[in-house]
Amino acid sequence: MVTPSPRLAVTVGQYSTAGAKEANQDFHGLLVPEGEALATKGIALALADGISTSALGAAAAETAVKSFLMDYYATSEAWSVRTSAERVITATNSWMHAQNLRGRGSNLTDEERERGMVCTLSTLVIKSRSAYVFHVGDGRIARIAGRTLEPLTEPHRVYLGGGESYLARALGIDRRVEIDHRKIPVAEGDLFVLTSDGVHDVLPDSAFLVAAGSEDLDSAARALADAALAAGSTDNLTIQLLRIDSLPQNDLDDLVGEEATLPPALQLTGGQAFEGYAIQRELHAGHRSHVYLARDSETGQRVAIKVPSTEHGADPVEVRRLMLEEWIARRVNNTHVLKAPPARASRQHAYSVTEFVEGATLEQWAASREVTDLVALRSIVKQVASGLHALHRLEILHRDLRPANVIVDGEGTARIIDFGSALVAGLDELAPRDDDMFAGTMQFTAPEIWLGAPASRKSDLWSLGSVAYYMLTRSLPYGPHLSAVRTRAAQKKLHYIPATELNPDVPDWMDAAIARAVAIDPEERYDELSEFTYDLAHPNTALTGPAPRPWLARRPERLWQTISALLAIALAVSLATRESGGGTEQKVSPSRLEETAR
């Protein structure tokens, strides 16, 4: 019997009241999703406080909270919490600011700001084993662990003295908003406290520590509001309490659900029926996986089925990552990225299914070209860059881009395949991967990875530049031993091998673009994929082409040829000299020897 993995579970209590004021301009909310979203997005709380001098303060607070809770869960599961939250909050601020500017020109006076849609916002997301805090204004988020209360935010107020202050940062005030963010590890039993300033400004920490010991958090939240009112608070009072009851194990079980416990599919054979698919033939056999061409028995669609190799079939981590390849393929909508068909009914084994693309790998495509076709090369590189851009927009790094992982079909359409090494920011928050150094193929992995640096968009760009170089030269930009150079000082001694040395059909300006894409220092590379693809097709006079290498570096074989020739000449001279000396040597006849003896 398989014991289910622990999941993220919390207990929550909330309470809000106008307090001593006539109207309550605070607003708060909570969303606890079910299923996969609980793992990929986590649990979110939000608390907003509308500016009391504005009739639109309450509307602003409600808009901020509802927008965050609805739009955060509408962002891609592949995005990190920070990317999702900050984009949602930024968009809300932009909308509110635009509403405030309607009919008022491009700037707001202080008085108009106070009358407009302006509010504070404090949000908390609990995902996997971490808490993510996003904060604008003078609300507060604190954590109670044991008998210690730790504030996780600071009030964005400017104090003038004499008890006077004003709000320095809030949603709706300016076109841009600065958001404080923080990520902290959590433990079971931790209690998070979100409060509006009418509560924490008047209550001591001891009051919150007492509330932390309550089993009924709703009652505890109400008790805190009552205590704040009794302590003389003149503001609205809102409290949210969240206690961590259980945490997942920092793996991908919550994401793949019951399929994580399925036995891995065994190696298949042509003609075999397998879970609603008719296996036709094997497409690829590697040390990590086997790929088969199959036909969906229900729809007739041809698909590719990947199963773990025999040696990796018992490794649950490898099985989960194989299944996540399909998860990635289903979420990237781009012509140049391999797709996955719609999910089917529950499976009996662990495997991945993607569309089948009939064509040649870029490695095969390049080998079949006897003449350099710069137009076709630029087209393919641009298509692959489009696929990479689609991955990067979802915060996915491929990490193993190489000629064997790009398929070109009969119509010349290129598609990126094989996401076994891909790093997804949103999933890395569930189960962090630290395998950058071993993720990709050695020849096409960026040099900084071998120094222990994390993968980045620029390391994917380096791989794309190396692929372009390979297509032109069937070689590598720094030779075959780059991965063996493991110090920064040694890397700085490396020299780019100009593609023009190996292929005279390559224009110098095109070579310069590739050289920049594969620069050893990531800071010297292009910032955007589109910049690289543009310079591949348009001469960029701002780029300096790669410097010609010394003669011996360009033609090292000539050194050995010269040495060999010199040795051969020296040997010939030595032999000739010896033979010449032997011809003048005097010889004594036997009769002369006899005379000498007498």
Side-chain angles (χ1 to χ4, degrees), residues 25 49-63 92-93 95-102 104 108-120 167 170-174:
Q25 293 190 310
D49 182 355
I51 300 299
S52 59
T53 56
S54 171
L56 300 177
E62 182 176 356
T63 298
T92 301
N93 174 76
W95 183 85
M96 292 170 64
H97 181 65
Q99 296 304 303
N100 292 337
L101 284 178
R102 292 177 64 181
R104 296 182 176 86
L108 290 174
T109 66
D110 292 341
E111 183 180 355
E112 286 172 337
R113 287 177 177 176
E114 290 183 356
R115 293 201 308 264
M117 293 188 71
V118 178
C119 68
T120 69
L167 194 61
L171 297 188
I173 292 180
D174 293 311

Side-chain angles (χ1 to χ4, degrees), residues 15 32 65 71 103 105 107 133 192 207 216 219 235 255 271 286 303 325 366 370 373 389 405 424 432 491 529 579:
Y15 183 72
V32 182
V65 170
D71 295 345
N107 295 301
V133 172
F192 290 87
D216 185 347
S219 297
D235 206 346
L255 179 62
V303 298
E325 288 194 57
E370 296 182 358
D373 188 341
H389 180 64
N405 281 342
V424 185
Q491 284 188 353
L529 291 162
E579 290 176 358

Side-chain angles (χ1 to χ4, degrees), residues 16-19 21-27 58 236-238:
S16 183
T17 178
K21 291 193 171 183
E22 293 184 1
N24 188 358
Q25 293 190 310
D26 289 353
F27 200 87
N236 300 149
L237 309 167
T238 302

Side-chain angles (χ1 to χ4, degrees), residues 187-488:
E188 293 180 2
D190 283 355
L191 180 75
F192 290 87
V193 185
L194 285 71
T195 51
S196 57
D197 60 326
V199 179
H200 56 259
D201 278 354
V202 300
L203 289 182
D205 290 354
S206 57
F208 297 99
L209 295 175
V210 171
S214 175
E215 292 294 326
D216 185 347
L217 294 185
D218 280 324
S219 297
R222 178 185 289 271
L224 286 170
D226 292 341
L229 186 61
S233 176
T234 59
D235 206 346
N236 300 149
L237 309 167
T238 302
I239 305 100
Q240 292 178 291
L241 304 173
L242 180 145
R243 179 184 293 125
I244 305 294
D245 295 329
S246 66
L247 293 169
Q249 293 180 338
N250 238 13
D251 58 32
L252 297 173
D253 284 355
D254 282 348
L255 179 62
V256 295
E258 296 179 357
E259 293 183 355
T261 62
L262 294 177
L266 302 176
Q267 294 184 22
L268 307 173
T269 57
Q272 177 182 354
F274 174 74
E275 295 202 13
Y277 297 99
I279 306 300
Q280 296 184 343
R281 59 185 170 87
E282 186 174 69
L283 297 172
H284 170 77
H287 74 284
R288 299 172 68 94
S289 61
H290 293 256
V291 183
Y292 302 89
L293 172 63
R295 189 177 295 277
D296 189 318
S297 302
E298 184 177 327
T299 66
Q301 179 184 7
R302 292 201 297 175
V303 298
I305 294 180
K306 180 182 285 191
V307 305
S309 63
T310 303
E311 57 266 35
H312 286 96
D315 186 344
V317 174
E318 290 296 329
V319 171
R320 293 186 188 102
R321 289 176 180 173
L322 180 143
M323 295 166 66
L324 284 174
E325 288 194 57
E326 182 179 336
W327 187 94
I328 294 171
R330 188 167 288 120
R331 283 160 175 79
V332 184
N333 184 21
N334 185 275
T335 304
H336 306 294
V337 176
L338 190 70
K339 294 180 174 62
R344 296 177 48 152
S346 59
R347 300 174 180 178
Q348 303 302 312
H349 297 83
Y351 57 92
S352 70
V353 182
T354 59
E355 64 176 341
F356 170 68
V357 179
E358 191 164 10
T361 66
L362 199 51
E363 191 172 36
Q364 296 166 334
W365 184 92
S368 67
R369 263 52 180 183
E370 296 182 358
V371 179
T372 303
D373 188 341
L374 296 180
V375 174
L377 179 140
R378 293 188 188 106
S379 174
I380 288 176
V381 172
K382 187 173 182 179
Q383 293 178 62
V384 176
S386 174
L388 270 184
H389 180 64
L391 290 168
H392 291 173
R393 287 190 64 185
L394 294 178
E395 289 194 282
I396 300 174
L397 302 174
H398 190 277
R399 300 200 303 173
D400 193 19
L401 186 68
R402 53 192 170 101
N405 281 342
V406 176
I407 288 184
V408 182
D409 66 18
E411 298 179 349
T413 301
R415 289 178 179 83
I416 300 173
I417 66 171
D418 196 338
F419 310 116
S421 298
L423 183 68
V424 185
L427 303 188
D428 196 49
E429 292 172 335
L430 292 175
R433 296 177 67 167
D434 55 0
D435 58 351
D436 281 321
M437 190 174 293
F438 310 102
T441 301
M442 295 174 67
Q443 294 90 335
F444 293 91
T445 296
E448 65 270 17
I449 303 299
W450 302 110
L451 300 182
S456 66
R457 295 184 180 189
K458 287 196 173 185
S459 61
D460 271 356
L461 166 66
W462 194 95
S463 298
L464 178 61
S466 295
V467 168
Y469 185 95
Y470 176 86
M471 293 170 66
L472 290 169
T473 66
R474 310 299 184 271
S475 186
L476 298 168
Y478 294 92
H481 305 300
L482 174 61
S483 61
V485 181
R486 299 297 181 90
T487 67
R488 193 173 302 279

